[in-house]
Each structure stands twice: as C-alpha cells, then as structure tokens.
Amino acid sequence: MNKWNRRNKCSHRCDPKNLCQRLRRLLSDAEKFIMFRIWFRGIYCLYAKRPVKKDKVLFVEVREKAVSDSFRLLYKKLKKEKKYCIHTHYLRSGFSGRLEYLRRCTAMLTDLSDAGYVFLNEGCNVIGSIPMRRETVLTQTWHACGAFKRFGFSTAELKYGQTAEELKKYPYYGNTTYVTLSSPKISWAYEEAMLLQDRKECMRATGVSRTDVFFQKKFLKRAREHFEQCMPSAASKKVILYAPTFRGHASDAVSPDVLDIPKLKQTLGDGYVLVIKHHPFVTHPPAVPPDCADFAKDVTNEMPIDELLCVSDLCISDYSSLVFEYSLFERPMLFYAYDLEDYFDWRGFYYPYEELAPGPVVRTNEEIADYIQNVEQKFDRARVRAFREQFMSACDGHATERILQLVFQK
C-alpha cells in the first residue's frame, strides 16, 4: 500500500461522521447483547426453575395489539374447550417505546417460562434466542400462506433484511417445534427462511388456520351482509378489491399512491365499485378523491381482509400474500407491479415473479382498466387452479382441527 492510500484510509477512519457511525453501531451492539444475552436469558432461566404447566397456553403477538386472524380460530376453540389456561401477550415490536417494549418482553418471558404451549405467528428473536426448555411446544402458525416475498434468513444482506451474522446470533425462529404450512410444496422456502434445514420434521402441511372461514357458509353470508351495510352503492355492481402491501419497514410503512381512481371510475364506474384495503401497518394511507366517493371507498378501518376476499369479484394486489387465500375462490387477479425492479432489490421473491403470478402483471392504470373491461375473455381459471394446487393444497376448511390435534396430540 503506497503512502497516499495509507493516508487516505487513515483520514477516512478519522472522519468525525465515520467515527460517530462506528460508535453508534458499537453502542447498539452492546445494548442488544445486554438485552438478549443477559437480561432476557436471565429472566427466563430464573423463572424456568418452576415446573411446566401442561395446561398453560401462550399466544404471543409480536406486533399486533389484539388477537389476529392467524390465531383467532385456534384461540376460540381452546377457550371453548375450557381445558387450558390461556394467556395472551402483545409485544408491539416497532410500535412501542424502548422501555415499554422491554417491559412487555420481560412480562412475556416470565409467563412463558413455565408454559406447556406457545403459539407465534411471525419471527420473534426474543423467544428464538432464549434456552427454552424441551417440555414447551412452540408452534409457528405464520401470518401468510404460500411462499411469495422473501422473509427471515432469506432476506439476509438484502436492503430489507439484517446481516446473516446478526440473524444467526439472535435467531428469530429458534426453539420452533412445528411450522404450519398451506402446502407441502413450500416447505423448502420456510426451512431456508427459518434456518431449519436440519429440522425438516418441524414443517407440517396442516393447512393455515385462518383460511377455514372461507369454507364456512355462515361466515360468507355475514361478510356479504357486512359489506352491503358498509357500501350500499355496491348493490347490483361487481366489486374490485385493491389491497397492496406496504413499502418500507413495518415501523414506517407507507402505501403506494399510484392507482388512478378517477380514471378507473370513468372507464369502469357503470358496472363496478372499488374497495381499498391498506396494510394494517400503514398509518397514513392516500385518500380517495371526494368526487369518487360513489365509486371507491377505503374500508381499511371498517372491514377485515378475510371478509373482503369473500365479497370481491376481482382482486388487484402487488406483492401481498393475500393472493394465495384469494386463489381459493378461483376468481380473477391482477398484479399491479409498477415498481417490480425496486421491490425485488428491496425484498426479493422465492419464485420468478411473473411466472408465479396467476394473473396478468401490469404496470399502468390503462392495463388495469383494459383487463377488467375484457375480464370474461382474458381470465384464465386453469392458471389460478394450478396456483391453488401448488400453494394452498392443505387448506380445505379443517386446518384448525389438524393443528390442534398435532400440537396437543389429541
């Protein structure tokens, strides 16, 4: 190395901004080490000296503030049986302050330490990093069907994910006993994402509990009634559901604002209505233009996504896993992937996107309108059925019972 390069390298190291960044990184690493390796482990091990209670069941929501649809049927059935002592914890990761999050995690680990069963529906490095006792059965129901955008260790080194070193040091899916899947054909993706390649027995194609409602006539009827109350203008018209996923991280999620609602009203307004459902992490969604209120409505805070999937005649999404559930109805889907290259760099996919999508991939509002206007000629039902068979074959309305049988060995 010549003198110039040595001098340049030294000046880079001594740059105040660079030094501040390194210091912040060191402090962050030290804080995380103390929290995970000392505090969380210490709390759990202290209380794990108590005998395991085989009738104690914990449902842990990592981000949500109430029992979500991933748990709802399981939670209700166990409550109804009255054989188990059921506890719920809401960690609010990314949505609560640092001290409040620490308090919630501490309370959860104290409670978890003598629990016989634990249910999670997403990654949790707080639980994944503790030396959990073998008697406790941890079931990961996951919050999505199929295998679409990458998650977990599959995002290591991508813009969305953390470093591979960090994900191994504080694992999100450690201590997993079972992972419930919507199809046996996607187990490879979950093994990769959860670093469970050496524990393939964890993968169980039981079906996904929350999809059971789509096979219940009472639920379908209630969904239709709720929708008619919510949007009376939809009477005698077909329903387009627009349900995009969020952009960015969960804590600062934003929704795309590229759908030209006035143009869609102009071309489709006589025969259709548009309902919009933003991702629950989005706090400031784009507004519907006032002069389009008779055609379009944002129902994010009025109707749950499972009901909207039931009542819609066509779904427009982008990279959301809800298309797997929607395939159960064998209805038309459009994939509005205007930012496909950017999203691929950000998150990545398990399959080539355009090969995976069971409907047209479009990039403009004109393409959306054209497809919907000619949907009867353009819709390929066989393509949706093949998609359903590949990714949703285990979802038949009885997933909840199979999961309970598996976990509690009934």
Side-chain angles (χ1 to χ4, degrees):
M1 183 183 292
N2 60 39
K3 291 181 180 179
W4 171 258
N5 286 337
R6 283 199 299 269
R7 193 181 301 117
N8 193 42
K9 191 172 182 179
C10 181
S11 63
H12 176 70
R13 286 178 176 172
C14 297
D15 178 70
K17 283 187 178 179
N18 190 45
L19 286 172
C20 286
Q21 288 175 354
R22 290 174 63 194
L23 181 60
R24 278 196 295 268
R25 194 159 49 243
L26 286 170
L27 289 173
S28 176
D29 289 345
E31 180 184 6
K32 200 165 187 178
F33 181 86
I34 292 169
M35 189 160 61
F36 280 84
R37 292 282 198 247
I38 299 175
W39 181 255
F40 289 158
R41 284 193 177 203
I43 287 293
Y44 178 80
C45 291
L46 175 66
Y47 288 96
K49 295 174 182 178
R50 303 174 297 185
V52 167
K53 298 176 180 176
K54 296 303 290 183
D55 63 343
K56 185 176 180 179
V57 181
L58 257 65
F59 286 88
V60 180
E61 290 281 3
V62 176
R63 303 178 200 272
E64 302 288 352
K65 56 185 176 182
V67 174
S68 64
D69 55 3
S70 299
F71 287 154
R72 194 171 298 132
L73 293 179
L74 294 163
Y75 181 86
K76 284 182 177 180
K77 281 189 176 290
L78 289 177
K79 275 277 191 184
K80 190 175 182 180
E81 288 183 8
K82 296 181 180 179
K83 291 167 55 179
Y84 301 96
C85 182
I86 300 174
H87 297 201
T88 54
H89 288 270
Y90 309 100
L91 305 185
R92 300 294 286 153
S93 175
F95 298 92
S96 59
R98 191 172 299 180
L99 289 177
E100 176 61 15
Y101 179 66
L102 182 64
R103 184 194 68 77
R104 288 171 182 259
C105 290
T106 301
M108 181 273 294
L109 289 171
T110 303
D111 204 14
L112 169 67
S113 62
D114 64 352
Y117 305 92
V118 184
F119 286 93
L120 278 169
N121 59 21
E122 64 176 298
C124 181
N125 53 4
V126 179
I127 293 178
S129 300
I130 60 171
M132 199 165 77
R133 55 208 304 182
R134 292 182 180 180
E135 303 98 313
T136 302
V137 176
L138 192 160
T139 304
Q140 174 64 253
T141 64
W142 201 234
H143 58 276
C145 296
F148 202 165
K149 52 185 179 282
R150 292 179 177 273
F151 70 96
F153 196 75
S154 300
T155 65
E157 312 302 340
L158 292 175
K159 295 176 185 177
Y160 176 83
Q162 297 172 281
T163 65
E165 180 185 1
E166 184 82 356
L167 289 169
K168 287 179 178 178
K169 190 174 183 180
Y170 304 107
Y172 280 78
Y173 306 98
N175 299 311
T176 301
T177 310
Y178 302 118
V179 181
T180 62
L181 304 175
S182 61
S183 167
K185 295 181 180 179
I186 60 172
S187 61
W188 68 271
Y190 285 74
E191 289 165 14
E192 175 190 298
M194 298 181 179
L195 282 177
L196 294 173
Q197 293 96 331
D198 296 332
R199 297 182 57 209
K200 296 180 185 295
E201 70 278 3
C202 295
M203 302 296 152
R204 301 299 179 101
T206 57
V208 174
S209 174
R210 73 165 186 277
T211 64
D212 287 353
V213 297
F214 300 134
F215 298 85
Q216 298 171 2
K217 290 182 179 179
K218 285 185 179 179
F219 181 85
L220 299 177
K221 183 182 177 182
R222 284 199 306 269
R224 174 57 62 180
E225 291 170 350
H226 189 190
F227 179 68
E228 289 172 354
Q229 294 170 1
C230 181
M231 199 170 184
S233 62
S236 74
K237 292 189 176 183
K238 291 188 175 181
V239 181
I240 303 166
L241 169 64
Y242 177 51
T245 194
F246 66 93
R247 305 304 194 269
H249 291 284
S251 56
D252 57 1
V254 295
S255 204
D257 189 14
V258 292
L259 195 69
D260 192 336
I261 297 175
K263 181 174 287 187
L264 292 180
K265 177 186 175 182
Q266 183 181 355
T267 54
L268 304 169
D270 291 340
Y272 289 88
V273 292
L274 174 69
V275 291
I276 303 166
K277 178 71 172 180
H278 294 287
H279 194 282
F281 292 163
V282 175
T283 54
H284 301 290
V288 173
D291 59 347
C292 294
D294 58 335
F295 166 71
K297 184 175 182 180
D298 182 349
V299 295
T300 302
N301 298 320
E302 297 179 54
M303 288 191 69
I305 188 61
D306 49 3
E307 289 186 0
L308 290 169
L309 293 176
C310 296
V311 302
S312 59
D313 298 286
L314 182 147
C315 177
I316 304 172
S317 192
D318 43 23
Y319 318 112
S320 173
S321 63
L322 65 84
V323 298
F324 293 105
E325 288 103 309
Y326 198 64
S327 72
L328 294 172
F329 297 99
E330 297 185 1
R331 295 171 188 163
M333 285 180 261
L334 265 175
F335 293 79
Y336 189 18
Y338 65 92
D339 59 347
L340 179 56
E341 289 76 20
D342 290 339
Y343 198 87
F344 179 82
D345 291 341
W346 170 255
R347 184 86 180 249
F349 305 102
Y350 285 108
Y351 297 86
Y353 182 81
E354 299 202 12
E355 293 178 20
L356 170 75
V361 176
V362 300
R363 294 173 182 263
T364 67
N365 285 273
E366 288 77 13
E367 290 176 288
I368 293 174
D370 177 69
Y371 178 80
I372 296 174
Q373 286 176 310
N374 300 283
V375 66
E376 290 185 10
Q377 294 78 35
K378 294 190 174 187
F379 174 46
D380 186 351
R381 190 181 301 275
R383 189 175 173 187
V384 176
R385 283 177 176 165
F387 179 85
R388 172 181 175 172
E389 176 59 29
Q390 181 175 0
F391 295 105
M392 299 295 289
S393 61
C395 297
D396 58 0
H398 302 285
T400 301
E401 2 178 321
R402 282 194 293 269
I403 293 169
L404 292 177
Q405 186 174 23
L406 170 69
V407 173
F408 298 96
Q409 300 297 313
K410 295 182 179 181

PDB file of all heavy atoms in Angstrom, residues 235-247:
ATOM      1  N   ALA A 235     -74.645  -2.165  -4.573  1.00  0.00           N
ATOM      2  CA  ALA A 235     -75.773  -3.011  -4.967  1.00  0.00           C
ATOM      3  C   ALA A 235     -75.828  -3.165  -6.477  1.00  0.00           C
ATOM      4  O   ALA A 235     -75.762  -2.185  -7.216  1.00  0.00           O
ATOM      5  CB  ALA A 235     -77.073  -2.398  -4.454  1.00  0.00           C
ATOM      6  N   SER A 236     -75.940  -4.411  -6.928  1.00  0.00           N
ATOM      7  CA  SER A 236     -76.042  -4.792  -8.344  1.00  0.00           C
ATOM      8  C   SER A 236     -74.780  -4.506  -9.153  1.00  0.00           C
ATOM      9  O   SER A 236     -74.787  -4.584 -10.380  1.00  0.00           O
ATOM     10  CB  SER A 236     -77.245  -4.100  -9.011  1.00  0.00           C
ATOM     11  OG  SER A 236     -76.973  -2.723  -9.240  1.00  0.00           O
ATOM     12  N   LYS A 237     -73.678  -4.165  -8.467  1.00  0.00           N
ATOM     13  CA  LYS A 237     -72.417  -3.927  -9.178  1.00  0.00           C
ATOM     14  C   LYS A 237     -71.373  -4.952  -8.754  1.00  0.00           C
ATOM     15  O   LYS A 237     -71.456  -5.548  -7.672  1.00  0.00           O
ATOM     16  CB  LYS A 237     -71.901  -2.517  -8.897  1.00  0.00           C
ATOM     17  CG  LYS A 237     -72.773  -1.431  -9.508  1.00  0.00           C
ATOM     18  CD  LYS A 237     -72.111  -0.067  -9.407  1.00  0.00           C
ATOM     19  CE  LYS A 237     -72.955   0.998 -10.099  1.00  0.00           C
ATOM     20  NZ  LYS A 237     -72.289   2.327 -10.069  1.00  0.00           N
ATOM     21  N   LYS A 238     -70.383  -5.150  -9.600  1.00  0.00           N
ATOM     22  CA  LYS A 238     -69.287  -6.045  -9.248  1.00  0.00           C
ATOM     23  C   LYS A 238     -68.251  -5.293  -8.414  1.00  0.00           C
ATOM     24  O   LYS A 238     -68.130  -4.060  -8.521  1.00  0.00           O
ATOM     25  CB  LYS A 238     -68.641  -6.618 -10.515  1.00  0.00           C
ATOM     26  CG  LYS A 238     -69.552  -7.593 -11.243  1.00  0.00           C
ATOM     27  CD  LYS A 238     -68.831  -8.296 -12.374  1.00  0.00           C
ATOM     28  CE  LYS A 238     -69.730  -9.353 -13.004  1.00  0.00           C
ATOM     29  NZ  LYS A 238     -69.040 -10.079 -14.106  1.00  0.00           N
ATOM     30  N   VAL A 239     -67.518  -6.046  -7.621  1.00  0.00           N
ATOM     31  CA  VAL A 239     -66.613  -5.448  -6.633  1.00  0.00           C
ATOM     32  C   VAL A 239     -65.160  -5.709  -6.989  1.00  0.00           C
ATOM     33  O   VAL A 239     -64.749  -6.871  -7.145  1.00  0.00           O
ATOM     34  CB  VAL A 239     -66.906  -5.999  -5.217  1.00  0.00           C
ATOM     35  CG1 VAL A 239     -65.968  -5.357  -4.194  1.00  0.00           C
ATOM     36  CG2 VAL A 239     -68.362  -5.765  -4.845  1.00  0.00           C
ATOM     37  N   ILE A 240     -64.388  -4.628  -7.107  1.00  0.00           N
ATOM     38  CA  ILE A 240     -62.937  -4.721  -7.306  1.00  0.00           C
ATOM     39  C   ILE A 240     -62.271  -4.441  -5.962  1.00  0.00           C
ATOM     40  O   ILE A 240     -62.535  -3.406  -5.336  1.00  0.00           O
ATOM     41  CB  ILE A 240     -62.441  -3.683  -8.325  1.00  0.00           C
ATOM     42  CG1 ILE A 240     -63.152  -3.835  -9.663  1.00  0.00           C
ATOM     43  CG2 ILE A 240     -60.924  -3.795  -8.503  1.00  0.00           C
ATOM     44  CD1 ILE A 240     -62.940  -2.638 -10.593  1.00  0.00           C
ATOM     45  N   LEU A 241     -61.440  -5.346  -5.513  1.00  0.00           N
ATOM     46  CA  LEU A 241     -60.672  -5.132  -4.282  1.00  0.00           C
ATOM     47  C   LEU A 241     -59.247  -4.730  -4.641  1.00  0.00           C
ATOM     48  O   LEU A 241     -58.570  -5.442  -5.387  1.00  0.00           O
ATOM     49  CB  LEU A 241     -60.653  -6.414  -3.447  1.00  0.00           C
ATOM     50  CG  LEU A 241     -59.674  -6.443  -2.260  1.00  0.00           C
ATOM     51  CD1 LEU A 241     -60.044  -5.381  -1.222  1.00  0.00           C
ATOM     52  CD2 LEU A 241     -59.639  -7.835  -1.620  1.00  0.00           C
ATOM     53  N   TYR A 242     -58.812  -3.584  -4.120  1.00  0.00           N
ATOM     54  CA  TYR A 242     -57.414  -3.179  -4.275  1.00  0.00           C
ATOM     55  C   TYR A 242     -56.743  -3.297  -2.916  1.00  0.00           C
ATOM     56  O   TYR A 242     -57.100  -2.586  -1.969  1.00  0.00           O
ATOM     57  CB  TYR A 242     -57.319  -1.747  -4.790  1.00  0.00           C
ATOM     58  CG  TYR A 242     -55.884  -1.233  -4.912  1.00  0.00           C
ATOM     59  CD1 TYR A 242     -54.921  -1.973  -5.586  1.00  0.00           C
ATOM     60  CD2 TYR A 242     -55.505  -0.017  -4.342  1.00  0.00           C
ATOM     61  CE1 TYR A 242     -53.612  -1.518  -5.709  1.00  0.00           C
ATOM     62  CE2 TYR A 242     -54.198   0.452  -4.470  1.00  0.00           C
ATOM     63  CZ  TYR A 242     -53.262  -0.300  -5.147  1.00  0.00           C
ATOM     64  OH  TYR A 242     -51.958   0.146  -5.262  1.00  0.00           O
ATOM     65  N   ALA A 243     -55.796  -4.225  -2.794  1.00  0.00           N
ATOM     66  CA  ALA A 243     -55.155  -4.498  -1.499  1.00  0.00           C
ATOM     67  C   ALA A 243     -53.644  -4.625  -1.691  1.00  0.00           C
ATOM     68  O   ALA A 243     -53.111  -5.735  -1.800  1.00  0.00           O
ATOM     69  CB  ALA A 243     -55.721  -5.772  -0.886  1.00  0.00           C
ATOM     70  N   PRO A 244     -52.945  -3.505  -1.733  1.00  0.00           N
ATOM     71  CA  PRO A 244     -51.486  -3.550  -1.903  1.00  0.00           C
ATOM     72  C   PRO A 244     -50.772  -3.835  -0.590  1.00  0.00           C
ATOM     73  O   PRO A 244     -51.321  -3.580   0.493  1.00  0.00           O
ATOM     74  CB  PRO A 244     -51.156  -2.138  -2.389  1.00  0.00           C
ATOM     75  CG  PRO A 244     -52.191  -1.286  -1.704  1.00  0.00           C
ATOM     76  CD  PRO A 244     -53.447  -2.123  -1.651  1.00  0.00           C
ATOM     77  N   THR A 245     -49.579  -4.358  -0.662  1.00  0.00           N
ATOM     78  CA  THR A 245     -48.761  -4.487   0.545  1.00  0.00           C
ATOM     79  C   THR A 245     -48.055  -3.164   0.797  1.00  0.00           C
ATOM     80  O   THR A 245     -48.110  -2.246  -0.028  1.00  0.00           O
ATOM     81  CB  THR A 245     -47.739  -5.635   0.407  1.00  0.00           C
ATOM     82  OG1 THR A 245     -47.204  -5.926   1.694  1.00  0.00           O
ATOM     83  CG2 THR A 245     -46.617  -5.303  -0.556  1.00  0.00           C
ATOM     84  N   PHE A 246     -47.417  -3.043   1.937  1.00  0.00           N
ATOM     85  CA  PHE A 246     -46.761  -1.785   2.290  1.00  0.00           C
ATOM     86  C   PHE A 246     -45.362  -1.716   1.699  1.00  0.00           C
ATOM     87  O   PHE A 246     -44.787  -2.704   1.273  1.00  0.00           O
ATOM     88  CB  PHE A 246     -46.702  -1.607   3.813  1.00  0.00           C
ATOM     89  CG  PHE A 246     -45.813  -2.615   4.513  1.00  0.00           C
ATOM     90  CD1 PHE A 246     -44.481  -2.329   4.781  1.00  0.00           C
ATOM     91  CD2 PHE A 246     -46.305  -3.840   4.933  1.00  0.00           C
ATOM     92  CE1 PHE A 246     -43.653  -3.245   5.421  1.00  0.00           C
ATOM     93  CE2 PHE A 246     -45.497  -4.776   5.578  1.00  0.00           C
ATOM     94  CZ  PHE A 246     -44.170  -4.472   5.821  1.00  0.00           C
ATOM     95  N   ARG A 247     -44.812  -0.520   1.671  1.00  0.00           N
ATOM     96  CA  ARG A 247     -43.431  -0.300   1.267  1.00  0.00           C
ATOM     97  C   ARG A 247     -42.646   0.174   2.488  1.00  0.00           C
ATOM     98  O   ARG A 247     -43.183   0.861   3.351  1.00  0.00           O
ATOM     99  CB  ARG A 247     -43.325   0.750   0.152  1.00  0.00           C
ATOM    100  CG  ARG A 247     -44.165   0.463  -1.101  1.00  0.00           C
ATOM    101  CD  ARG A 247     -43.850  -0.907  -1.705  1.00  0.00           C
ATOM    102  NE  ARG A 247     -44.393  -1.047  -3.054  1.00  0.00           N
ATOM    103  CZ  ARG A 247     -45.588  -1.540  -3.344  1.00  0.00           C
ATOM    104  NH1 ARG A 247     -46.397  -1.933  -2.374  1.00  0.00           N
ATOM    105  NH2 ARG A 247     -45.968  -1.658  -4.601  1.00  0.00           N
TER     106      ARG A 247
END
